[in-house]
Amino acid sequence: MNSPVSGAVPAAPPPVAPPQADIRTDVIAAAAISKADERPSTGTWSSGPPEQSANPLPGASVRWAAAPPVSVRQNYIRPRPTYTAEQSTAGSTKAARLSASAATPQELVAGRTIGTRPALIAVAHGSRDPRSAATMYAVVEQLAAARPDLDVRLAFLDLNAPSVDQVVDAVAADGHSHAVVVPLLLGSAFHARIDLPGMLAAARARHPRMQLTQADVLGADTRVIAALRDRAREALAVSSLGRGLPARSRLGIAMAAVGSSSAAANARTAQIAQRLAAITGLPTEICFATTEPSLPEAVSALRARSVDHILVAPWFLAPGLLTDRLEAAAPNLVHARTIGAHPLLTDVILDRYTTASALPLKLTA
């Protein structure tokens, strides 16, 4: 039977897995994990993982950790590539559907292919930490590569450019009559319920003939949890733990999230830790960067459960001040990378877009 840690990603909410007796046999397989999903298709990532490089993002500016790809930085509609059945070795039907000659940016702006599908505006939180913006660019570049037929844009709620207002105005100016706004948020709190809807209401007032549909947040989707599992598995493979655990030792996970002033919200996040435990078979405790239980408290709870070695799995899309705070709180533990640009995250974003696109459109003036 395949190990829960190195097994395939479940297609549906996973059943509770039996406890894993020995994770050491899975480390060899975990060490072979591909790193292809952690790099943007273009950009200035260094050859090694960002957190292990002396200068992980060369060419950094004050605002950006790396020069974002031209297609995203200039916030233009990306030209669609040409696909032909002859060029495709798989999926020839899809290739044939997309075999029309690629439109130039000028043709797209002029409206030759505009209107076939709503634009996709991915809205990230924003951060003073340049690594966060760089990670969100990588996420959106991977998204755009997965769906070259869509006009994919990136906007930020705060602290980074372009803003939501700027991107909506640009999409409207480029001739779109409908855009789906997908919040790149793990929780449905103030930003998703109050902040972003208010921005979109103001944008609708400026562009009354444009339809703006807000999609659901990424949330506790099974695939996002599986992506977190993958990040934990990668960290295990390259750490000292991955080189062999002593006999009878036991591994556990501290899942670290932002935390909220709402006890109900924190309880929902704790349920995600339980689901992570279900697909790894490992003892797992929840902790928060801004409230209790803290990471040291989660470590104590795991020790009380006879856990000898602990890995921290951050329930964050991108690195920043709070993930640094977590690492400083437990510098001797192995810390996994944030979820970042992961194929499963791309799948969830596209599902949110597709679901929102199918909603009935409201009549405009």
Side-chain angles (χ1 to χ4, degrees):
M1 180 178 70
N2 290 333
S3 162
V5 173
S6 58
V9 175
V16 176
Q20 182 171 327
D22 191 349
I23 194 174
R24 290 172 295 169
T25 57
D26 302 317
V27 173
I28 296 176
I33 295 171
S34 169
K35 299 290 185 179
D37 62 291
E38 38 183 276
R39 299 287 181 267
S41 56
T42 58
T44 56
W45 290 106
S46 60
S47 57
E51 65 275 19
Q52 296 178 359
S53 304
N55 184 19
L57 296 169
S61 64
V62 174
R63 181 178 291 275
W64 308 118
V70 171
S71 62
V72 179
R73 181 177 68 246
Q74 294 180 340
N75 200 34
Y76 291 158
I77 295 177
R78 299 176 307 100
R80 303 177 186 179
T82 299
Y83 291 90
T84 64
E86 292 75 16
Q87 292 171 328
S88 177
T89 58
S92 58
T93 301
K94 178 180 179 181
R97 289 201 305 267
L98 299 175
S99 61
S101 60
T104 66
Q106 292 77 15
E107 289 173 322
L108 285 165
V109 171
R112 190 170 72 83
T113 58
I114 286 173
T116 56
R117 293 180 179 87
L120 193 166
I121 303 176
V123 178
H125 187 283
S127 171
R128 291 184 176 86
D129 192 310
R131 295 170 298 170
S132 178
T135 301
M136 290 299 99
Y137 273 117
V139 168
V140 172
E141 276 293 288
Q142 189 170 86
L143 183 65
R147 285 294 300 272
D149 58 315
L150 295 181
D151 177 9
V152 180
R153 315 274 183 126
L154 174 63
F156 295 92
L157 289 167
D158 196 11
L159 300 173
N160 297 115
S163 67
V164 173
D165 285 347
Q166 290 171 327
V167 173
V168 171
D169 290 350
V171 167
D174 286 341
H176 281 282
S177 60
H178 186 197
V180 172
V181 179
V182 182
L184 301 185
L185 302 171
L186 293 175
S188 181
F190 174 81
H191 288 302
R193 297 183 178 183
I194 306 297
D195 200 11
L196 183 56
M199 294 177 182
L200 297 184
R204 291 186 188 99
R206 294 195 308 275
H207 307 287
R209 294 185 178 277
M210 184 177 183
Q211 194 73 35
L212 290 170
T213 306
Q214 181 176 334
D216 198 4
V217 297
L218 306 179
D221 191 286
T222 298
R223 291 162 294 183
V224 183
I225 299 172
L228 178 62
R229 183 274 315 273
D230 288 350
R231 296 308 187 210
R233 186 172 59 183
E234 292 168 6
L236 175 64
V238 300
S239 71
S240 58
L241 299 180
R243 292 190 286 271
L245 296 175
R248 298 183 181 277
S249 62
R250 195 176 185 210
L251 179 67
I253 297 176
M255 195 194 94
V258 175
S260 170
S261 59
S262 167
N266 292 336
R268 289 192 293 271
T269 306
Q271 293 175 356
I272 297 171
Q274 296 173 7
R275 293 171 62 185
L276 180 63
I279 64 173
T280 62
L282 298 175
T284 303
E285 292 286 341
I286 186 64
C287 61
F288 300 103
T290 62
T291 188
E292 296 180 345
S294 65
L295 177 54
E297 289 173 319
V299 169
S300 297
L302 287 167
R303 300 290 189 206
R305 297 173 64 180
S306 302
V307 168
D308 304 298
H309 302 279
I310 297 170
L311 181 141
V312 181
W315 182 244
F316 288 77
L317 290 180
L321 175 64
L322 293 182
T323 54
D324 287 347
R325 183 185 300 177
L326 290 166
E327 292 182 12
N332 296 324
L333 298 182
V334 175
H335 291 253
R337 294 190 305 112
T338 54
I339 295 169
H342 192 289
L344 291 173
L345 188 69
T346 297
D347 290 345
V348 176
I349 296 170
L350 289 175
D351 275 0
R352 298 294 184 265
Y353 167 84
T354 300
T355 299
S357 298
L359 295 175
L361 297 181
K362 298 178 181 178
L363 295 177
T364 56

